[in-house]
Amino acid sequence: MCPVDVRRRLRINDVFLLLIILKFGLHAVDAVWPLPQTFTSWTERYPLNPQHFHFGYRGRSAALEGCPVLDAAFKRYFSLIFPDYAPVCPTGNDKLRIREDKPFSVEIAVDGHYCESYPTEDSSERYNLSVSAGQACLNAETVWGALRGLETFSQLVYQDDSGSYFVNKSDIKDFPSFQFRGILLDTSRHYLPVQAILKTLDAMAYSKFNVFHWHIVDDQSFPYQSRTFPDLSSKGAFHPMTHIYTQSDVRRVISYARMLGIRVVPEFDSPGHTKSWGKGQLDLLTPCYRRGIASGTFGPINPALASTYQFMESLFKEVSSVFPGSYFHLGGDEVDFSCWRSNPYIRAFMQKMGFGDDFAKLQAFYIEKIVNITTALNKTSIVWQDVFDYNERRSSLSVVEVWKQGCYLCEVRRVVKAGLRVILASPWYLDLPGPTHNWARYYNVWPLAFSGSEEQKRLVIGGEVCLWGEYVDATNLSPRLWPRASAAAERLWSDEKQTSSVENALPRLLDFRCKLLRRGIQAEPLNVGHCRHEYQGV
Amino acid sequence: MCPVDVRRRLRINDVFLLLIILKFGLHAVDAVWPLPQTFTSWTERYPLNPQHFHFGYRGRSAALEGCPVLDAAFKRYFSLIFPDYAPVCPTGNDKLRIREDKPFSVEIAVDGHYCESYPTEDSSERYNLSVSAGQACLNAETVWGALRGLETFSQLVYQDDSGSYFVNKSDIKDFPSFQFRGILLDTSRHYLPVQAILKTLDAMAYSKFNVFHWHIVDDQSFPYQSRTFPDLSSKGAFHPMTHIYTQSDVRRVISYARMLGIRVVPEFDSPGHTKSWGKGQLDLLTPCYRRGIASGTFGPINPALASTYQFMESLFKEVSSVFPGSYFHLGGDEVDFSCWRSNPYIRAFMQKMGFGDDFAKLQAFYIEKIVNITTALNKTSIVWQDVFDYNERRSSLSVVEVWKQGCYLCEVRRVVKAGLRVILASPWYLDLPGPTHNWARYYNVWPLAFSGSEEQKRLVIGGEVCLWGEYVDATNLSPRLWPRASAAAERLWSDEKQTSSVENALPRLLDFRCKLLRRGIQAEPLNVGHCRHEYQGV
């Protein structure tokens, strides 16, 4: 009864139905954010009774009972779909007796791969979802696609005024426009309790984000507790016990993220942004000089010492084993050359290497060595655009993250013309507060709006919302991120042509924001109004 | 042993000691926000053991055991002072056994009035607090002053790295610079769950705010459930059951506020800002006309009908009995004359009254009648500055709230020159987001920085932080309000000369913000850094 082919193409009559629905049947269309690539829904609706509702695997599925990612997702989504449900007591509490006793089951089939351990950069997130009387058929190529489909199904279910649950007859064929849809959290400027990270991961899954970019250390503090170099956090964290991420904390975050189909990309930004590293690792940073004498202050990592690369190799070897994903963010942004310039040993090294007075060459030399270390560890490196801008030998680079303001699409074009992959972050810096009703500025972005070949455009692998930590911690993280980040999420997932109108998107986003509140996410208001269930977590 | 005279003046040696402390003993001075008027502290410190810590009334106190406000405050402040304390089990859990067994008691004497029911606009909040070995003596003229002193005492207590509690020898003589220190919450643009209001009241008490200005209804919704006119909320609220404040909700807010020494000032803004009123009360709003025909839209309250004033009198009679305070905010801002102008019956009324084409006269006529109703109910009216600006006959006015941007002190000056009292709100509009590190803009305000006589300056009774609700609800209320509102709180409480330096204030504000986190308030970060106890309520 359930259709089989995930890749079944959109047919003419699907388009026709979609147009009808977009015009007349807004309720169900309202219900999903980000908007599926093709979405047909009918006014025919089916009541759902939590006591007769089941998730199940279809016989031909490659993933079956015992697949931890899906087994856990069934449990999680049951609660999300039926937020008011509490099992009826046998002693006769029939407050929740629901008139509808017809069973409904969501039948899942994963076509291609057996229950994978971790999502990868190539994992398919494509799924087909077809809701009809008594059942929903969810087909996907991977468990990660099945997770996206479950999220969509959960958003299709709604309650009427009496609290009864319904889902409309629907047919959805969906896949992301971009493979990399990330959120950066910065745990160096402020320490974020693990619980705040996990809650953000939950909210990310609701908007179908799939990458958590963990900017874990920076100048201000080094909360990552290294097995190899424990002094880095014991001396470089805000507090050596309470403001660190232990190995077990990191494993917990990675494992929690994987259950949501989210990859964790660690960033150990260098050679700049490393002041806190110097507290726990002697001779790592460059001593700055004033009038020929070491001033007692330190600059970027010292690129002239062999010991630097030994240290970085050991640290990165550990980090690579801790983070199972293939991407490793090396940073490389905002390197201040003045300290290097002041240091006579660095200058002598420059002469020896033939760099003259060009410190960009020194930076490129350092980064190339770090990239090589990373490549040898079988990881793909991501760097901030500075590295691309300053580097003449770009062949070692893989993925460039564009973050500067101004004509960021000009930069995207330069990077793809050089044959490198791009992640776009510039338009999505959400750390600075702004009026939420200006969410459209995050929505009205199209990363491919530059002139280039199809092949070049395929190099734009996605985008990222950055929530830098100078003025953000667990007190304001959620309202600053949500629902503004969801605007970016739709841009990165949905078909651009179907989601180019801010006016059409607004009612769906308002509806989605209310869903976030219902799920306990502190998503701030977009404008005047109300939700049926206001945020109660005060 | 405890000193008796609350009004004992600052002596020369107090000033001398204060200077010493400000220079050398910053720890204890760091610990109080807003800064007490005179504050001496020593490095001598006393350990506090929660198991041997007591609050008590001194024999000569006018308020004694059984005074609900203080009895409840003792319980509340015990938990705030000892956040880690849990009673030791008799079965031998001695994890919390504390080495110090010397008792410590906070002895309270209220001089003047017996345990008052409600704080009034004239209530003294003056207190003296003297901390020495084994005891703290807290003298106040009223229970409200005693509450302020308890808050100060709670902020003096700190924990060392091992978790032991200490308080330094201290001597404080304190009173507010301004009598009216308010926060406006707007429950019309967004409904705020009662719990969010109560939590805000808690946080207000920590910053010694003493007025909750409840902008309870407006154009967008009418959540106040009136006994006399139940249709106002059943038809004018966002939802007639879930998005209203019942009589019992309102009583709960008022009663919770009183326990914290906070007065509740209701605002029923009219004749503008009343669209939601019209849904539940026929013929109250002015029908707007287009080309001589009623267009079906409505404008401000209809000032030309006798029924309007009968309705307003009945409503205000009820509201006056529900809210025990003496102030009643009548609004009066932003009245759009175009609808009045379009209506032939209004124009005829204008002719009859001899107002010509001057709609400001019509507004003044309306407001004068409303003020008279309020006065007859024995309430003091507050109006927004518009009423003062448009009104030629100002003799009926009492208190004017200045809210417009621009030269707001020019307006303050105009109002006091007319012999009216002023509340200043213009510099403290916190609803629009802004970088928290710009908190100094709320700190660098001095409401009396205009040329005027002492008598005129005494008419500036205080100031108010306004958190309008267009983009604020329970999801972002706390981080948007705190700690920025605390900057205004110190301006309104403390001695301006001692608190004119932003640099000196910053470390105290950072410390205070960490205290707010420890107390569960989502106060957002001022800059990079950390608190010993980060916000955990995620």
Side-chain angles (χ1 to χ4, degrees):
Chain A
M1 190 172 165
C2 288
V4 172
D5 181 10
V6 181
R7 293 171 210 256
R8 197 163 63 103
R9 296 281 161 207
L10 185 69
R11 290 174 316 201
I12 297 299
N13 67 340
D14 287 337
V15 177
F16 184 66
L17 275 169
L18 177 69
L19 291 174
I20 290 174
I21 293 311
L22 283 170
K23 197 163 167 60
F24 299 105
L26 275 173
H27 184 98
V29 175
D30 272 359
V32 185
W33 187 282
L35 190 69
Q37 298 277 346
T38 77
F39 186 173
T40 317
S41 94
W42 288 260
T43 51
E44 190 179 335
R45 67 181 195 176
Y46 314 112
L48 302 183
N49 176 347
Q51 290 182 277
H52 299 279
F53 180 92
H54 302 278
F55 289 107
Y57 296 91
R58 283 219 307 288
R60 45 166 289 277
S61 174
L64 293 169
E65 207 168 315
C67 176
V69 170
L70 288 182
D71 284 356
F74 293 167
K75 206 169 160 184
R76 195 166 65 242
Y77 276 107
F78 186 88
S79 301
L80 292 173
I81 292 169
F82 303 113
D84 292 334
Y85 178 72
V88 177
C89 303
T91 50
N93 171 3
D94 58 359
K95 195 180 70 178
L96 282 152
R97 182 81 56 86
I98 290 161
R99 59 170 191 265
E100 182 57 44
D101 289 312
K102 280 186 195 153
F104 192 99
S105 65
V106 179
E107 300 284 326
I108 294 194
V110 173
D111 290 344
H113 311 274
Y114 175 66
C115 179
E116 283 177 299
S117 299
Y118 288 96
T120 70
E121 59 194 87
D122 301 319
S123 292
S124 161
E125 291 169 290
R126 181 184 291 269
Y127 69 92
N128 290 351
L129 175 66
S130 158
V131 181
S132 53
Q135 81 171 356
C137 299
L138 174 56
N139 276 18
E141 294 171 0
T142 67
V143 292
W144 320 114
L147 288 182
R148 304 296 168 244
L150 284 169
E151 176 56 40
T152 297
F153 180 79
S154 77
Q155 294 188 25
L156 288 177
V157 178
Y158 57 93
Q159 286 181 278
D160 68 5
D161 286 342
S162 75
S164 299
Y165 297 96
F166 293 92
V167 65
N168 282 37
K169 179 171 164 63
S170 310
D171 194 50
I172 289 171
K173 291 168 193 64
D174 202 12
F175 55 88
S177 289
F178 293 95
Q179 192 79 30
F180 188 109
R181 305 178 309 279
I183 288 196
L184 175 150
L185 295 184
D186 168 3
T187 56
S188 174
R189 273 69 177 232
H190 282 99
Y191 177 82
L192 297 174
V194 171
Q195 196 53 43
I197 296 176
L198 303 188
K199 191 148 192 178
T200 304
L201 291 169
D202 279 333
M204 284 171 66
Y206 305 151
S207 287
K208 296 191 170 75
F209 279 103
N210 69 348
V211 177
F212 167 36
H213 174 172
W214 195 347
H215 187 86
I216 192 166
V217 299
D218 205 297
D219 281 333
Q220 288 80 1
S221 75
F222 196 105
Y224 172 79
Q225 189 180 44
S226 163
R227 289 188 302 247
T228 325
F229 303 101
D231 277 356
L232 288 171
S233 65
S234 70
K235 297 182 179 168
F238 283 132
H239 187 282
M241 294 303 294
T242 58
H243 286 63
I244 59 167
Y245 301 104
T246 63
Q247 291 288 317
S248 128
D249 289 335
V250 172
R251 273 199 303 273
R252 191 166 162 220
V253 168
I254 294 168
S255 144
Y256 197 94
R258 122 181 150 90
M259 297 304 262
L260 304 169
I262 294 173
R263 294 176 276 146
V264 182
V265 174
E267 178 180 354
F268 283 76
D269 191 354
S270 76
H273 289 279
T274 49
K275 280 196 175 32
S276 70
W277 304 36
K279 295 182 182 169
Q281 183 66 18
L282 274 181
D283 301 329
L284 178 65
L285 303 186
T286 308
C288 312
Y289 280 66
R290 188 179 290 177
R291 297 192 196 111
I293 301 161
S295 69
T297 63
F298 294 89
I301 279 178
N302 192 331
L305 300 178
S307 59
T308 286
Y309 301 101
Q310 285 155 13
F311 165 80
M312 293 299 282
E313 188 172 0
S314 300
L315 178 66
F316 279 21
K317 196 170 171 184
E318 173 189 323
V319 171
S320 293
S321 73
V322 170
F323 290 85
S326 58
Y327 282 146
F328 193 137
H329 205 304
L330 305 180
D333 58 320
E334 300 182 310
V335 180
D336 178 7
F337 295 154
S338 62
C339 182
W340 279 350
R341 189 175 285 120
S342 77
N343 183 305
Y345 300 95
I346 300 284
R347 286 205 309 273
F349 181 76
M350 297 272 289
Q351 290 308 312
K352 186 179 128 197
M353 299 299 291
F355 295 160
D357 197 38
D358 186 354
F359 286 88
K361 284 192 174 133
L362 180 60
Q363 184 187 2
F365 167 83
Y366 170 85
I367 287 285
E368 192 169 340
K369 288 188 80 99
I370 298 298
V371 167
N372 289 343
I373 288 170
T374 312
T375 307
L377 291 164
N378 212 15
K379 298 284 180 178
T380 304
S381 52
I382 308 178
V383 292
W384 293 109
Q385 72 176 82
D386 314 48
V387 173
F388 174 83
D389 295 343
Y390 283 114
N391 212 328
E392 285 171 3
R393 292 166 53 190
R394 293 160 172 172
S395 58
S396 65
L397 302 183
S398 303
V399 184
V400 175
E401 182 157 6
V402 171
W403 67 275
K404 294 191 180 180
Q405 306 305 305
C407 182
Y408 52 79
L409 289 181
C410 306
E411 177 77 1
V412 168
R413 188 156 171 256
R414 279 191 291 273
V415 177
V416 297
K417 279 179 87 170
L420 302 176
R421 278 169 280 172
V422 172
I423 298 163
L424 178 63
S426 311
W428 293 307
Y429 265 43
L430 293 190
D431 50 305
L432 279 179
T436 320
H437 57 284
N438 283 353
W439 63 275
R441 77 169 64 164
Y442 311 112
Y443 195 73
N444 286 331
V445 170
W446 183 233
L448 304 185
F450 60 90
S451 55
S453 67
E454 279 309 301
E455 194 185 352
Q456 284 171 352
K457 294 196 175 183
R458 271 196 296 276
L459 290 170
V460 181
I461 59 173
E464 190 164 87
V465 167
C466 294
L467 197 72
W468 296 103
E470 281 86 348
Y471 306 109
V472 173
D473 69 5
T475 62
N476 58 353
L477 187 158
S478 286
R480 195 152 293 184
L481 199 50
W482 311 109
R484 295 190 298 167
S486 305
E490 178 150 300
R491 182 54 54 241
L492 293 170
W493 178 281
S494 306
D495 179 58
E496 189 233 355
K497 290 191 189 66
Q498 286 184 60
T499 54
S500 56
S501 155
V502 168
E503 292 70 33
N504 290 349
L506 180 60
R508 274 190 309 112
L509 187 55
L510 289 170
D511 176 84
F512 180 66
R513 187 233 160 203
C514 289
K515 284 201 178 83
L516 291 177
L517 296 201
R518 189 72 202 273
R519 295 175 177 193
I521 305 300
Q522 272 181 274
E524 69 177 12
L526 291 155
N527 57 18
V528 167
H530 77 291
C531 292
R532 187 192 285 191
H533 298 274
E534 301 293 350
Y535 181 72
Q536 296 290 342
V538 285
Chain B
M1 190 172 168
C2 288
V4 171
D5 182 10
V6 181
R7 292 171 212 258
R8 197 164 62 104
R9 294 283 160 207
L10 185 70
R11 291 174 315 201
I12 297 299
N13 66 341
D14 287 338
V15 177
F16 183 65
L17 275 169
L18 177 69
L19 291 173
I20 291 175
I21 293 312
L22 283 171
K23 196 163 167 61
F24 300 105
L26 276 173
H27 184 98
V29 175
D30 272 359
V32 184
W33 188 281
L35 190 70
Q37 298 278 345
T38 78
F39 185 174
T40 317
S41 95
W42 288 262
T43 51
E44 191 179 335
R45 68 180 194 175
Y46 315 112
L48 302 183
N49 177 345
Q51 289 182 278
H52 299 279
F53 179 92
H54 301 280
F55 290 106
Y57 297 93
R58 285 220 306 288
R60 44 167 289 277
S61 173
L64 293 169
E65 207 168 313
C67 175
V69 170
L70 288 182
D71 286 356
F74 293 167
K75 204 169 161 185
R76 196 167 65 242
Y77 276 107
F78 186 89
S79 301
L80 292 174
I81 291 168
F82 303 113
D84 292 333
Y85 178 72
V88 178
C89 303
T91 50
N93 173 2
D94 58 0
K95 196 181 70 178
L96 282 152
R97 182 81 54 87
I98 290 161
R99 59 171 190 265
E100 182 56 47
D101 289 312
K102 281 187 195 150
F104 191 100
S105 64
V106 179
E107 300 284 326
I108 295 195
V110 174
D111 290 346
H113 311 273
Y114 174 66
C115 178
E116 284 176 301
S117 300
Y118 289 95
T120 71
E121 59 195 86
D122 302 318
S123 293
S124 161
E125 291 169 290
R126 181 184 290 270
Y127 68 92
N128 289 352
L129 174 65
S130 160
V131 181
S132 53
Q135 80 171 356
C137 299
L138 175 57
N139 276 18
E141 294 173 359
T142 67
V143 291
W144 320 114
L147 288 181
R148 303 297 168 245
L150 284 169
E151 176 57 39
T152 297
F153 180 80
S154 77
Q155 295 188 25
L156 289 176
V157 178
Y158 58 93
Q159 286 180 278
D160 68 5
D161 286 342
S162 75
S164 298
Y165 298 95
F166 294 92
V167 65
N168 281 36
K169 179 171 165 66
S170 311
D171 195 49
I172 289 171
K173 291 169 192 64
D174 202 12
F175 55 88
S177 289
F178 293 95
Q179 193 78 31
F180 188 109
R181 305 178 308 282
I183 287 196
L184 174 151
L185 295 184
D186 168 2
T187 56
S188 174
R189 273 70 177 231
H190 281 99
Y191 177 82
L192 297 174
V194 171
Q195 196 52 41
I197 297 176
L198 303 187
K199 190 148 194 179
T200 303
L201 291 169
D202 280 334
M204 285 171 65
Y206 305 152
S207 287
K208 295 190 171 76
F209 280 103
N210 69 349
V211 176
F212 166 38
H213 173 171
W214 195 348
H215 187 86
I216 192 166
V217 298
D218 205 297
D219 280 334
Q220 288 79 1
S221 75
F222 197 105
Y224 172 79
Q225 188 178 45
S226 163
R227 290 188 302 247
T228 324
F229 303 101
D231 277 354
L232 288 171
S233 64
S234 70
K235 297 184 178 167
F238 284 131
H239 187 282
M241 294 303 293
T242 58
H243 286 63
I244 59 167
Y245 301 104
T246 63
Q247 290 289 317
S248 130
D249 289 335
V250 173
R251 274 198 303 274
R252 190 166 163 221
V253 168
I254 293 168
S255 147
Y256 196 93
R258 120 182 151 90
M259 297 303 263
L260 304 169
I262 294 173
R263 293 176 277 146
V264 181
V265 174
E267 178 180 354
F268 284 77
D269 191 354
S270 77
H273 288 279
T274 48
K275 280 196 176 28
S276 70
W277 305 36
K279 295 182 182 171
Q281 184 65 19
L282 274 181
D283 300 329
L284 177 65
L285 304 185
T286 308
C288 310
Y289 280 66
R290 187 179 291 178
R291 297 193 196 112
I293 302 162
S295 68
T297 63
F298 294 89
I301 280 178
N302 192 333
L305 301 178
S307 59
T308 288
Y309 302 102
Q310 287 156 10
F311 165 80
M312 293 299 282
E313 189 172 0
S314 300
L315 178 66
F316 279 21
K317 196 170 172 184
E318 173 190 322
V319 171
S320 294
S321 73
V322 170
F323 290 86
S326 60
Y327 282 146
F328 193 136
H329 205 304
L330 305 180
D333 57 319
E334 300 181 309
V335 181
D336 177 8
F337 294 154
S338 62
C339 182
W340 279 350
R341 190 175 285 121
S342 77
N343 184 304
Y345 300 95
I346 299 284
R347 286 205 310 273
F349 182 76
M350 296 273 289
Q351 290 308 313
K352 186 178 128 197
M353 299 299 291
F355 296 160
D357 196 38
D358 186 353
F359 286 89
K361 284 194 173 131
L362 180 59
Q363 184 188 5
F365 167 83
Y366 169 85
I367 287 284
E368 193 169 339
K369 288 189 82 100
I370 298 298
V371 168
N372 290 343
I373 288 170
T374 312
T375 308
L377 292 164
N378 212 16
K379 300 283 180 179
T380 304
S381 52
I382 308 179
V383 292
W384 294 108
Q385 72 176 81
D386 314 48
V387 173
F388 174 83
D389 295 344
Y390 283 113
N391 212 327
E392 285 171 4
R393 294 165 51 192
R394 293 159 172 173
S395 58
S396 63
L397 303 182
S398 303
V399 184
V400 175
E401 183 157 7
V402 172
W403 68 275
K404 294 191 179 178
Q405 307 303 306
C407 182
Y408 52 80
L409 290 181
C410 305
E411 177 78 0
V412 168
R413 188 156 171 257
R414 280 191 290 272
V415 177
V416 296
K417 279 180 86 169
L420 302 176
R421 279 169 279 172
V422 172
I423 298 162
L424 178 62
S426 310
W428 293 308
Y429 265 44
L430 294 189
D431 49 305
L432 279 179
T436 321
H437 58 284
N438 283 352
W439 63 275
R441 78 170 62 165
Y442 312 112
Y443 195 73
N444 286 330
V445 170
W446 184 232
L448 304 184
F450 61 89
S451 56
S453 67
E454 278 309 301
E455 194 185 351
Q456 284 172 351
K457 293 195 175 183
R458 271 195 296 277
L459 290 171
V460 181
I461 59 172
E464 191 163 87
V465 167
C466 294
L467 197 73
W468 296 103
E470 281 86 347
Y471 306 109
V472 173
D473 69 5
T475 62
N476 58 353
L477 187 158
S478 286
R480 195 152 294 183
L481 199 49
W482 312 109
R484 296 190 298 169
S486 304
E490 179 149 299
R491 182 54 53 243
L492 293 170
W493 179 280
S494 307
D495 179 56
E496 189 233 355
K497 290 191 189 65
Q498 287 184 60
T499 54
S500 56
S501 156
V502 168
E503 291 70 34
N504 291 349
L506 180 59
R508 274 190 309 112
L509 187 55
L510 289 170
D511 176 83
F512 180 65
R513 186 232 159 203
C514 288
K515 285 200 177 83
L516 291 177
L517 296 201
R518 189 73 203 273
R519 294 175 176 194
I521 304 300
Q522 272 180 274
E524 67 176 11
L526 292 155
N527 57 18
V528 167
H530 77 290
C531 292
R532 186 191 285 190
H533 298 275
E534 301 293 350
Y535 180 73
Q536 296 291 342
V538 283

